[in-house]
PDB file of all heavy atoms in Angstrom:
ATOM      1  N   PRO A 287     -58.808  53.140  31.685  1.00 98.00           N
ATOM      2  CA  PRO A 287     -57.736  52.130  31.773  1.00 98.00           C
ATOM      3  C   PRO A 287     -58.137  50.808  31.137  1.00 98.00           C
ATOM      4  O   PRO A 287     -57.263  50.007  30.771  1.00 98.00           O
ATOM      5  CB  PRO A 287     -57.528  51.963  33.287  1.00 98.00           C
ATOM      6  CG  PRO A 287     -58.173  53.134  33.921  1.00 98.00           C
ATOM      7  CD  PRO A 287     -59.269  53.564  33.005  1.00 98.00           C
ATOM      8  N   PHE A 288     -59.449  50.579  31.010  1.00 98.00           N
ATOM      9  CA  PHE A 288     -59.922  49.270  30.590  1.00 98.00           C
ATOM     10  C   PHE A 288     -59.822  49.055  29.088  1.00 98.00           C
ATOM     11  O   PHE A 288     -59.980  47.937  28.607  1.00 98.00           O
ATOM     12  CB  PHE A 288     -61.342  49.067  31.117  1.00 98.00           C
ATOM     13  CG  PHE A 288     -61.446  49.403  32.577  1.00 98.00           C
ATOM     14  CD1 PHE A 288     -62.171  50.510  33.015  1.00 98.00           C
ATOM     15  CD2 PHE A 288     -60.747  48.649  33.519  1.00 98.00           C
ATOM     16  CE1 PHE A 288     -62.218  50.850  34.356  1.00 98.00           C
ATOM     17  CE2 PHE A 288     -60.790  48.981  34.869  1.00 98.00           C
ATOM     18  CZ  PHE A 288     -61.524  50.075  35.288  1.00 98.00           C
ATOM     19  N   GLY A 289     -59.515  50.117  28.352  1.00 98.00           N
ATOM     20  CA  GLY A 289     -59.177  49.943  26.949  1.00 98.00           C
ATOM     21  C   GLY A 289     -57.909  49.108  26.801  1.00 98.00           C
ATOM     22  O   GLY A 289     -57.774  48.324  25.853  1.00 98.00           O
ATOM     23  N   ASN A 290     -56.966  49.266  27.746  1.00 98.00           N
ATOM     24  CA  ASN A 290     -55.754  48.442  27.735  1.00 98.00           C
ATOM     25  C   ASN A 290     -56.092  46.969  27.936  1.00 98.00           C
ATOM     26  O   ASN A 290     -55.560  46.093  27.248  1.00 98.00           O
ATOM     27  CB  ASN A 290     -54.793  48.888  28.840  1.00 98.00           C
ATOM     28  CG  ASN A 290     -54.206  50.262  28.598  1.00 98.00           C
ATOM     29  OD1 ASN A 290     -54.027  50.672  27.462  1.00 98.00           O
ATOM     30  ND2 ASN A 290     -53.895  50.961  29.675  1.00 98.00           N
ATOM     31  N   ASP A 291     -56.977  46.688  28.903  1.00 98.00           N
ATOM     32  CA  ASP A 291     -57.346  45.302  29.193  1.00 98.00           C
ATOM     33  C   ASP A 291     -58.055  44.668  28.006  1.00 98.00           C
ATOM     34  O   ASP A 291     -57.798  43.503  27.670  1.00 98.00           O
ATOM     35  CB  ASP A 291     -58.246  45.260  30.435  1.00 98.00           C
ATOM     36  CG  ASP A 291     -57.533  45.744  31.674  1.00 98.00           C
ATOM     37  OD1 ASP A 291     -56.578  45.082  32.115  1.00 98.00           O
ATOM     38  OD2 ASP A 291     -57.912  46.804  32.205  1.00 98.00           O
ATOM     39  N   LEU A 292     -58.945  45.438  27.374  1.00 98.00           N
ATOM     40  CA  LEU A 292     -59.657  44.921  26.214  1.00 98.00           C
ATOM     41  C   LEU A 292     -58.685  44.613  25.072  1.00 98.00           C
ATOM     42  O   LEU A 292     -58.805  43.587  24.394  1.00 98.00           O
ATOM     43  CB  LEU A 292     -60.723  45.922  25.760  1.00 98.00           C
ATOM     44  CG  LEU A 292     -61.575  45.514  24.557  1.00 98.00           C
ATOM     45  CD1 LEU A 292     -62.299  44.195  24.819  1.00 98.00           C
ATOM     46  CD2 LEU A 292     -62.586  46.607  24.221  1.00 98.00           C
ATOM     47  N   THR A 293     -57.698  45.476  24.860  1.00 98.00           N
ATOM     48  CA  THR A 293     -56.717  45.253  23.803  1.00 98.00           C
ATOM     49  C   THR A 293     -55.870  44.018  24.085  1.00 98.00           C
ATOM     50  O   THR A 293     -55.588  43.222  23.181  1.00 98.00           O
ATOM     51  CB  THR A 293     -55.804  46.484  23.642  1.00 98.00           C
ATOM     52  OG1 THR A 293     -56.612  47.642  23.414  1.00 98.00           O
ATOM     53  CG2 THR A 293     -54.854  46.304  22.474  1.00 98.00           C
ATOM     54  N   LEU A 294     -55.465  43.835  25.329  1.00 98.00           N
ATOM     55  CA  LEU A 294     -54.676  42.651  25.685  1.00 98.00           C
ATOM     56  C   LEU A 294     -55.517  41.377  25.572  1.00 98.00           C
ATOM     57  O   LEU A 294     -55.000  40.318  25.184  1.00 98.00           O
ATOM     58  CB  LEU A 294     -54.093  42.796  27.092  1.00 98.00           C
ATOM     59  CG  LEU A 294     -53.016  43.877  27.227  1.00 98.00           C
ATOM     60  CD1 LEU A 294     -52.638  44.094  28.685  1.00 98.00           C
ATOM     61  CD2 LEU A 294     -51.770  43.531  26.410  1.00 98.00           C
ATOM     62  N   ASP A 295     -56.808  41.470  25.871  1.00 98.00           N
ATOM     63  CA  ASP A 295     -57.696  40.319  25.662  1.00 98.00           C
ATOM     64  C   ASP A 295     -57.808  40.002  24.169  1.00 98.00           C
ATOM     65  O   ASP A 295     -57.840  38.830  23.774  1.00 98.00           O
ATOM     66  CB  ASP A 295     -59.083  40.605  26.237  1.00 98.00           C
ATOM     67  CG  ASP A 295     -59.126  40.512  27.753  1.00 98.00           C
ATOM     68  OD1 ASP A 295     -58.168  39.965  28.344  1.00 98.00           O
ATOM     69  OD2 ASP A 295     -60.099  40.999  28.354  1.00 98.00           O
ATOM     70  N   LEU A 296     -57.868  41.040  23.337  1.00 98.00           N
ATOM     71  CA  LEU A 296     -57.902  40.835  21.887  1.00 98.00           C
ATOM     72  C   LEU A 296     -56.595  40.183  21.421  1.00 98.00           C
ATOM     73  O   LEU A 296     -56.608  39.304  20.545  1.00 98.00           O
ATOM     74  CB  LEU A 296     -58.120  42.167  21.167  1.00 98.00           C
ATOM     75  CG  LEU A 296     -58.114  42.120  19.634  1.00 98.00           C
ATOM     76  CD1 LEU A 296     -59.307  41.327  19.118  1.00 98.00           C
ATOM     77  CD2 LEU A 296     -58.127  43.537  19.060  1.00 98.00           C
ATOM     78  N   ALA A 297     -55.479  40.610  21.996  1.00 98.00           N
ATOM     79  CA  ALA A 297     -54.189  40.013  21.643  1.00 98.00           C
ATOM     80  C   ALA A 297     -54.178  38.520  21.969  1.00 98.00           C
ATOM     81  O   ALA A 297     -53.699  37.701  21.160  1.00 98.00           O
ATOM     82  CB  ALA A 297     -53.071  40.737  22.388  1.00 98.00           C
ATOM     83  N   LYS A 298     -54.700  38.154  23.125  1.00 98.00           N
ATOM     84  CA  LYS A 298     -54.782  36.733  23.482  1.00 98.00           C
ATOM     85  C   LYS A 298     -55.672  35.976  22.503  1.00 98.00           C
ATOM     86  O   LYS A 298     -55.339  34.851  22.088  1.00 98.00           O
ATOM     87  CB  LYS A 298     -55.332  36.582  24.909  1.00 98.00           C
ATOM     88  CG  LYS A 298     -54.448  37.131  25.998  1.00 98.00           C
ATOM     89  CD  LYS A 298     -55.162  37.026  27.351  1.00 98.00           C
ATOM     90  CE  LYS A 298     -54.415  37.766  28.442  1.00 98.00           C
ATOM     91  NZ  LYS A 298     -55.166  37.746  29.729  1.00 98.00           N
ATOM     92  N   ALA A 299     -56.786  36.585  22.131  1.00 98.00           N
ATOM     93  CA  ALA A 299     -57.694  35.939  21.181  1.00 98.00           C
ATOM     94  C   ALA A 299     -57.020  35.739  19.833  1.00 98.00           C
ATOM     95  O   ALA A 299     -57.229  34.712  19.168  1.00 98.00           O
ATOM     96  CB  ALA A 299     -58.970  36.774  21.030  1.00 98.00           C
ATOM     97  N   ALA A 300     -56.209  36.706  19.410  1.00 98.00           N
ATOM     98  CA  ALA A 300     -55.477  36.577  18.144  1.00 98.00           C
ATOM     99  C   ALA A 300     -54.438  35.464  18.227  1.00 98.00           C
ATOM    100  O   ALA A 300     -54.262  34.690  17.273  1.00 98.00           O
ATOM    101  CB  ALA A 300     -54.807  37.899  17.787  1.00 98.00           C
ATOM    102  N   ILE A 301     -53.739  35.384  19.354  1.00 98.00           N
ATOM    103  CA  ILE A 301     -52.748  34.318  19.547  1.00 98.00           C
ATOM    104  C   ILE A 301     -53.411  32.957  19.415  1.00 98.00           C
ATOM    105  O   ILE A 301     -52.915  32.056  18.706  1.00 98.00           O
ATOM    106  CB  ILE A 301     -52.063  34.464  20.924  1.00 98.00           C
ATOM    107  CG1 ILE A 301     -51.108  35.662  20.918  1.00 98.00           C
ATOM    108  CG2 ILE A 301     -51.312  33.183  21.301  1.00 98.00           C
ATOM    109  CD1 ILE A 301     -50.548  36.024  22.290  1.00 98.00           C
ATOM    110  N   GLU A 302     -54.547  32.798  20.087  1.00 98.00           N
ATOM    111  CA  GLU A 302     -55.225  31.504  20.081  1.00 98.00           C
ATOM    112  C   GLU A 302     -55.952  31.256  18.764  1.00 98.00           C
ATOM    113  O   GLU A 302     -55.956  30.131  18.239  1.00 98.00           O
ATOM    114  CB  GLU A 302     -56.183  31.436  21.275  1.00 98.00           C
ATOM    115  CG  GLU A 302     -55.435  31.420  22.599  1.00 98.00           C
ATOM    116  CD  GLU A 302     -56.303  31.777  23.803  1.00 98.00           C
ATOM    117  OE1 GLU A 302     -57.550  31.719  23.664  1.00 98.00           O
ATOM    118  OE2 GLU A 302     -55.739  32.102  24.866  1.00 98.00           O
ATOM    119  N   GLY A 303     -56.552  32.307  18.199  1.00 98.00           N
ATOM    120  CA  GLY A 303     -57.291  32.141  16.954  1.00 98.00           C
ATOM    121  C   GLY A 303     -56.406  31.796  15.781  1.00 98.00           C
ATOM    122  O   GLY A 303     -56.770  30.960  14.938  1.00 98.00           O
ATOM    123  N   TYR A 304     -55.252  32.423  15.701  1.00 98.00           N
ATOM    124  CA  TYR A 304     -54.312  32.151  14.612  1.00 98.00           C
ATOM    125  C   TYR A 304     -53.251  31.117  14.994  1.00 98.00           C
ATOM    126  O   TYR A 304     -52.373  30.808  14.183  1.00 98.00           O
ATOM    127  CB  TYR A 304     -53.609  33.448  14.190  1.00 98.00           C
ATOM    128  CG  TYR A 304     -54.438  34.325  13.286  1.00 98.00           C
ATOM    129  CD1 TYR A 304     -54.698  35.649  13.632  1.00 98.00           C
ATOM    130  CD2 TYR A 304     -54.940  33.846  12.077  1.00 98.00           C
ATOM    131  CE1 TYR A 304     -55.447  36.478  12.796  1.00 98.00           C
ATOM    132  CE2 TYR A 304     -55.689  34.655  11.239  1.00 98.00           C
ATOM    133  CZ  TYR A 304     -55.942  35.969  11.604  1.00 98.00           C
ATOM    134  OH  TYR A 304     -56.685  36.773  10.773  1.00 98.00           O
ATOM    135  N   GLN A 305     -53.321  30.624  16.233  1.00 98.00           N
ATOM    136  CA  GLN A 305     -52.311  29.685  16.736  1.00 98.00           C
ATOM    137  C   GLN A 305     -50.907  30.253  16.553  1.00 98.00           C
ATOM    138  O   GLN A 305     -49.985  29.574  16.088  1.00 98.00           O
ATOM    139  CB  GLN A 305     -52.460  28.330  16.051  1.00 98.00           C
ATOM    140  CG  GLN A 305     -53.671  27.533  16.514  1.00 98.00           C
ATOM    141  CD  GLN A 305     -53.554  27.108  17.975  1.00 98.00           C
ATOM    142  OE1 GLN A 305     -52.746  26.252  18.331  1.00 98.00           O
ATOM    143  NE2 GLN A 305     -54.364  27.715  18.833  1.00 98.00           N
ATOM    144  N   LEU A 306     -50.758  31.530  16.921  1.00 98.00           N
ATOM    145  CA  LEU A 306     -49.456  32.175  16.820  1.00 98.00           C
ATOM    146  C   LEU A 306     -48.480  31.501  17.781  1.00 98.00           C
ATOM    147  O   LEU A 306     -48.817  31.187  18.924  1.00 98.00           O
ATOM    148  CB  LEU A 306     -49.570  33.663  17.149  1.00 98.00           C
ATOM    149  CG  LEU A 306     -50.498  34.497  16.268  1.00 98.00           C
ATOM    150  CD1 LEU A 306     -50.516  35.956  16.738  1.00 98.00           C
ATOM    151  CD2 LEU A 306     -50.093  34.416  14.794  1.00 98.00           C
ATOM    152  N   GLY A 307     -47.260  31.290  17.310  1.00 97.00           N
ATOM    153  CA  GLY A 307     -46.238  30.677  18.138  1.00 97.00           C
ATOM    154  C   GLY A 307     -46.338  29.175  18.245  1.00 97.00           C
ATOM    155  O   GLY A 307     -45.561  28.558  18.985  1.00 97.00           O
ATOM    156  N   ALA A 308     -47.265  28.569  17.518  1.00 96.00           N
ATOM    157  CA  ALA A 308     -47.445  27.120  17.617  1.00 96.00           C
ATOM    158  C   ALA A 308     -46.791  26.363  16.465  1.00 96.00           C
ATOM    159  O   ALA A 308     -46.759  25.127  16.483  1.00 96.00           O
ATOM    160  CB  ALA A 308     -48.937  26.784  17.649  1.00 96.00           C
ATOM    161  N   GLY A 309     -46.270  27.087  15.467  1.00 95.00           N
ATOM    162  CA  GLY A 309     -45.668  26.440  14.312  1.00 95.00           C
ATOM    163  C   GLY A 309     -44.161  26.373  14.397  1.00 95.00           C
ATOM    164  O   GLY A 309     -43.557  26.616  15.441  1.00 95.00           O
ATOM    165  N   LYS A 310     -43.543  26.046  13.276  1.00 95.00           N
ATOM    166  CA  LYS A 310     -42.089  25.919  13.230  1.00 95.00           C
ATOM    167  C   LYS A 310     -41.385  27.263  13.102  1.00 95.00           C
ATOM    168  O   LYS A 310     -40.196  27.373  13.394  1.00 95.00           O
ATOM    169  CB  LYS A 310     -41.691  25.005  12.063  1.00 95.00           C
ATOM    170  CG  LYS A 310     -42.141  23.553  12.238  1.00 95.00           C
ATOM    171  CD  LYS A 310     -41.680  22.711  11.056  1.00 95.00           C
ATOM    172  CE  LYS A 310     -42.109  21.255  11.243  1.00 95.00           C
ATOM    173  NZ  LYS A 310     -41.683  20.402  10.090  1.00 95.00           N
ATOM    174  N   GLU A 311     -42.107  28.295  12.630  1.00 97.00           N
ATOM    175  CA  GLU A 311     -41.501  29.606  12.417  1.00 97.00           C
ATOM    176  C   GLU A 311     -41.858  30.564  13.550  1.00 97.00           C
ATOM    177  O   GLU A 311     -42.877  30.393  14.226  1.00 97.00           O
ATOM    178  CB  GLU A 311     -41.980  30.203  11.087  1.00 97.00           C
ATOM    179  CG  GLU A 311     -41.762  29.311   9.876  1.00 97.00           C
ATOM    180  CD  GLU A 311     -40.304  29.064   9.566  1.00 97.00           C
ATOM    181  OE1 GLU A 311     -39.437  29.766  10.108  1.00 97.00           O
ATOM    182  OE2 GLU A 311     -40.020  28.157   8.752  1.00 97.00           O
ATOM    183  N   THR A 312     -41.035  31.580  13.724  1.00 98.00           N
ATOM    184  CA  THR A 312     -41.360  32.651  14.674  1.00 98.00           C
ATOM    185  C   THR A 312     -42.478  33.504  14.101  1.00 98.00           C
ATOM    186  O   THR A 312     -42.401  33.971  12.963  1.00 98.00           O
ATOM    187  CB  THR A 312     -40.128  33.540  14.924  1.00 98.00           C
ATOM    188  OG1 THR A 312     -39.070  32.748  15.464  1.00 98.00           O
ATOM    189  CG2 THR A 312     -40.462  34.676  15.878  1.00 98.00           C
ATOM    190  N   ASP A 313     -43.528  33.701  14.865  1.00 98.00           N
ATOM    191  CA  ASP A 313     -44.608  34.608  14.478  1.00 98.00           C
ATOM    192  C   ASP A 313     -44.395  35.954  15.159  1.00 98.00           C
ATOM    193  O   ASP A 313     -43.554  36.088  16.058  1.00 98.00           O
ATOM    194  CB  ASP A 313     -45.973  34.010  14.845  1.00 98.00           C
ATOM    195  CG  ASP A 313     -46.279  32.738  14.058  1.00 98.00           C
ATOM    196  OD1 ASP A 313     -45.938  32.694  12.856  1.00 98.00           O
ATOM    197  OD2 ASP A 313     -46.863  31.806  14.633  1.00 98.00           O
TER     198      ASP A 313
END
Side-chain angles (χ1 to χ4, degrees):
F288 311 112
N290 292 330
D291 296 294
L292 181 58
T293 305
L294 292 172
D295 284 346
L296 177 66
K298 295 175 189 176
I301 288 171
E302 293 162 17
Y304 280 124
Q305 287 294 290
L306 300 179
K310 294 181 179 179
E311 306 295 346
T312 300
D313 295 321

